[in-house]
Amino acid sequence: MSSKQDIKVACVGAGYFSQFHYESWSRMPRAVPVASCNRDIKKAKATGLPAYQNLARMLKTERPDLLDIILPPIAQADAIRTALRCGLKWIICQKPFCRSLDEAEDVIAQADAANATIVIHENFRFQPWYRAIKTAMAQGQIGTPLQATFRLRPGDGQGPRAYLDRQPYFQELPRFLVHETAVHFVDTFRFLFGSPSAVYSDLRKVNPVLAGEDAGYILLDHPNGVKAMFDGNRCLDHSAENLRQTMGEALIEGTEGVLTLYGDGSVERRGFGKQERQQILPPSTHDGFGGDCVHALQSHVISGLLNGTPLENTAPDYLDVIRIEETIYRSAAEGRKITLETP
């Protein structure tokens, strides 16, 4: 595609989280949002774009260059297949990606056959604090990384009305903490340390109104001796004015220092054996979601489309996250550490 051509973007889905997608597209250089599709036409109209209830009709009428799928897993495969039949070559799809590994592999095979690119909207790795941590490690600021911990504490999971005002389907998910939330951090750990070789997990349900688990520990063995732990409990909080800014706190520990992520999005470094701390990233001033990571991801895709820059989290690569997720649930069920198979 010519680098002088603006990209026409159509979106399918207009639920709670879609607001961040639409807002980002509205201020994206070189991208022009052209339409919204949703089964509730009122929600599609509320975006201010030409509104449709039928995805195929929208794609045939508007002829976008890129489709942004902002739907839950149950509807994603059908939307991708419809897009491929309509000739779309560029697709972004929200996570969790599809309902199973088999379904994900099937739609990826169809996309490959159509010479189409699917990028998974896994935006946590695009949050500015993880980019800063990645850069600091690459510069050797903490020496050899050995340990990493993320404590998920969004404080939104207590009581009988948990999630009903924002994302009510959370209560009904048979797999919740890992499938909906921890996959963000599985992918972020992959971004920071490489794909893990083994996993152990211990999961539980704290809030009885939920169908799925909402707390647990996940231990991951990463390359070069790095051990990472996801410690999640959605019923507990952390010290932050906006609990959803980072959703928790992190420590990345190495032989020559420690990087600490705080709930305000700031990152500090403390040298080994030292008391003083150096701020390497100030608190986030963005008042939207996750340090504007949605915009960072969508900008990344537009750059790949227009300029051919390398893409992160293409669908074939993201299969690794799905395999890890399945192994996490298997480990919890069997109560043992499991070595991950190389695909």
Side-chain angles (χ1 to χ4, degrees), residues 70-92:
I70 324 167
L71 297 171
I74 192 172
Q76 291 171 355
D78 283 347
I80 292 170
R81 292 178 181 123
T82 298
L84 294 175
R85 286 195 297 269
C86 292
L88 265 289
K89 299 300 182 185
W90 286 83
I91 297 168
I92 302 176

Side-chain angles (χ1 to χ4, degrees), residues 15-28 68 70 94 121 123 166-167 244 286-290 292-296 298:
Y16 164 78
F17 197 80
S18 70
Q19 63 183 300
F20 304 110
H21 290 243
Y22 288 102
E23 188 277 333
S24 170
W25 290 126
S26 73
R27 58 185 167 95
M28 180 76 66
D68 189 7
I70 324 167
Q94 255 292 353
H121 189 106
N123 53 50
R166 189 179 73 240
Q167 290 160 297
R244 289 176 59 78
H286 182 69
D287 60 1
F289 178 79
D292 211 13
C293 61
V294 171
H295 193 66
Q298 292 177 177

Side-chain angles (χ1 to χ4, degrees), residues 11 65 68 136 157 239 300 334:
C11 301
D65 303 300
D68 189 7
S239 179
H300 169 77
E334 299 179 6

Side-chain angles (χ1 to χ4, degrees), residues 32-139:
V32 180
V34 296
S36 170
C37 179
N38 197 71
R39 62 183 181 180
D40 183 345
I41 193 69
K42 292 181 181 178
K43 290 184 177 180
K45 290 179 178 179
T47 67
L49 298 171
Y52 295 81
Q53 281 182 305
N54 182 279
L55 176 58
R57 183 173 297 117
M58 178 183 73
L59 297 178
K60 292 175 181 177
T61 302
E62 302 293 342
R63 302 182 69 82
D65 303 300
L66 170 68
L67 176 66
D68 189 7
I69 298 175
I70 324 167
L71 297 171
I74 192 172
Q76 291 171 355
D78 283 347
I80 292 170
R81 292 178 181 123
T82 298
L84 294 175
R85 286 195 297 269
C86 292
L88 265 289
K89 299 300 182 185
W90 286 83
I91 297 168
I92 302 176
C93 184
Q94 255 292 353
K95 50 65 59 188
F97 180 45
C98 293
R99 292 173 292 182
S100 68
L101 179 60
D102 287 345
E103 185 175 66
E105 289 177 331
D106 181 68
V107 296
I108 288 172
Q110 293 179 51
D112 287 346
N115 196 30
T117 298
I118 303 173
V119 175
I120 306 306
H121 189 106
E122 178 49 84
N123 53 50
F124 274 43
R125 64 162 59 198
F126 287 91
Q127 291 174 346
W129 33 93
Y130 293 122
R131 296 284 159 163
I133 288 170
K134 178 82 166 181
T135 298
M137 289 194 301
Q139 293 172 346

